[in-house]
Amino acid sequence: MSQSLGHPQPPPNPQLKTPPPAPSTSHLEKVSYLFGYPIAHSLSPLLHSTVYTSLDLNYSYMLYESPTLEPCLALTHDPKFYGAAVTMPHKVNIIPYLDVLTPEGQAIGAINTIFLRSAPDGRRLLCGTNTDCIGIREAILQNTSTNQAKGMRGGPGMVIGGGGTCRAAVYALKKFLGCRQIYLVNRDRAEVEAVIRECTEKGFGDGLRYVESVAEAESLDAPRVVVSAIPDFEPKSEDEKRARGIVEVMLSKEEKGAILEMCYHPSPDTAVARIAKRNGWLLIGGIEAMIWQGLEQDKIWLRRKASTLPVEEVKRVLAPKETRARL
């Protein structure tokens, strides 16, 4: 883990004159939060409350919807605070206020989880990590056979998209699943170039390749594993149509693998999912990644092994919600 330097004061936001009130925690033993904006439709509280109820813990995970960081950081000083999930727009902005980053958080450059640890001198350390990459890894490994997983190692992978999730997906495919080369498919070349540059600076950019045309896609070996990290929409611009054509070519190759479709709101029946199913790919829903990244957070916060967490109960509770909410 790497130490950050100092704790800058978060700048006041004149547009947010009154921060949201701090929730009452007097009835709780411990409390955690989701920091972000907007977050009203998040499934995270249901996931974590299912864990705490199953373990008979008087803990709570609360939504704290704020477009600014200052009131969020204030909540971390509560003696009952034991951690927080972080989503947009704070996943990058929160980094300067943390004492320690894990290798995953540092490499991906975005934090979705805050947790507490103690320094050798007893000081309370605010630590940050990224469990999105763990969610992607586990969603794939938990839904494929040992032989399928072995087949991914050394072969090409593919990531569709160029946003924040793309970096976590690249990290998971390179570091955990052992993909030698990763094809990057996106409507915006500049976004992909930024991903390649940042991943290279962090030491896991070898073998990243932007696929810029259908003709190029036709010449490439089939990917063994794919992560789709784009919203579901009908392509309209020429760049969007080109990217969709590349996806169709790559998924129609003779060799098939597993595809994780991260988008499941408003429906998991996305265009990419339909292309994958039509071509015989093993389709894994994005709710799986959401579940496993959340369980990884509880492993960290509660200092428990995954085998002690109610995995099947969490899946049972969240499965009916897949089409009606998002993280």
Side-chain angles (χ1 to χ4, degrees), residues 10-327:
N13 186 337
Q15 296 179 342
L16 190 70
K17 296 181 179 179
T18 305
S24 173
T25 63
S26 60
H27 60 296
L28 297 169
E29 182 181 349
K30 296 286 186 180
V31 63
S32 62
Y33 298 95
L34 171 60
F35 298 148
Y37 184 90
I39 54 175
H41 298 292
S42 174
L43 281 176
S44 295
L46 179 59
L47 186 158
H48 295 292
S49 66
T50 300
V51 171
Y52 305 151
T53 299
S54 297
L55 297 177
D56 197 26
L57 297 173
N58 185 23
Y59 288 16
S60 184
Y61 175 99
M62 299 181 176
L63 297 182
Y64 191 74
E65 192 168 49
S66 173
T68 58
L69 267 176
E70 187 174 15
C72 301
L73 292 170
L75 293 176
T76 67
H77 299 295
D78 184 343
K80 293 185 177 183
F81 174 84
Y82 65 89
V86 184
T87 190
M88 298 302 291
H90 305 318
K91 295 177 81 167
V92 174
N93 296 339
I94 201 162
I95 290 176
Y97 306 102
L98 303 176
D99 298 295
V100 176
L101 298 182
T102 66
E104 292 82 5
Q106 188 174 31
I108 294 168
I111 297 301
N112 80 326
T113 306
I114 300 172
F115 61 100
L116 300 178
R117 292 296 183 263
S118 297
D121 62 4
R123 286 181 301 113
R124 183 173 179 266
L125 299 177
L126 204 59
C127 308
T129 191
N130 187 299
T131 67
D132 290 332
C133 60
I134 306 295
I136 292 168
R137 179 192 72 190
E138 291 303 303
I140 294 168
L141 292 181
Q142 296 289 337
N143 290 280
T144 54
S145 68
T146 301
N147 285 339
Q148 286 173 314
K150 285 181 179 178
M152 298 171 194
R153 191 162 296 277
M158 184 169 82
V159 176
I160 306 167
T165 304
C166 174
R167 291 159 175 79
V170 169
Y171 188 90
L173 296 190
K174 289 286 287 185
K175 293 290 188 177
F176 299 142
L177 301 182
C179 292
R180 171 182 48 82
Q181 185 176 41
I182 298 177
Y183 310 136
L184 299 174
V185 180
N186 192 45
R187 60 185 175 181
D188 187 338
R189 181 181 189 128
E191 281 187 346
V192 173
E193 288 176 344
V195 169
I196 294 174
R197 182 175 62 253
E198 292 168 17
C199 293
T200 300
E201 290 171 356
K202 300 295 178 63
F204 61 104
D206 291 346
L208 302 189
R209 175 173 179 167
Y210 175 57
V211 183
E212 52 186 325
S213 69
V214 167
E216 182 181 358
E218 289 171 341
S219 71
L220 296 173
D221 292 337
R224 310 282 177 81
V225 58
V226 176
V227 178
S228 178
I230 57 172
D232 186 35
F233 60 88
E234 191 64 30
K236 295 180 181 179
S237 71
E238 287 306 309
D239 284 338
E240 290 168 352
K241 292 176 182 177
R242 173 184 52 79
R244 180 61 56 82
I246 292 169
V247 170
E248 290 178 343
V249 167
M250 298 304 285
L251 296 184
S252 65
K253 291 179 181 289
E254 184 175 352
E255 188 173 357
K256 312 299 180 185
I259 179 169
L260 173 61
E261 170 55 291
M262 295 292 286
C263 180
Y264 58 88
H265 179 85
S267 168
D269 185 30
T270 66
V272 171
R274 290 193 294 273
I275 294 169
K277 286 190 288 188
R278 185 169 66 242
N279 284 282
W281 280 69
L282 172 63
L283 178 63
I284 304 167
I287 194 79
E288 286 280 329
M290 181 266 182
I291 288 171
W292 286 105
Q293 68 80 28
L295 290 170
E296 183 69 17
Q297 290 175 326
D298 283 321
K299 279 176 57 181
I300 295 168
W301 291 334
L302 304 178
R303 304 196 188 197
R304 284 175 172 260
K305 295 181 179 180
S307 59
T308 69
L309 297 177
V311 175
E312 294 308 315
E313 179 64 8
V314 168
K315 288 185 175 183
R316 185 191 68 78
V317 170
L318 287 180
K321 308 291 183 181
E322 182 169 5
T323 62
R324 298 199 297 273
R326 63 182 176 186
L327 179 63

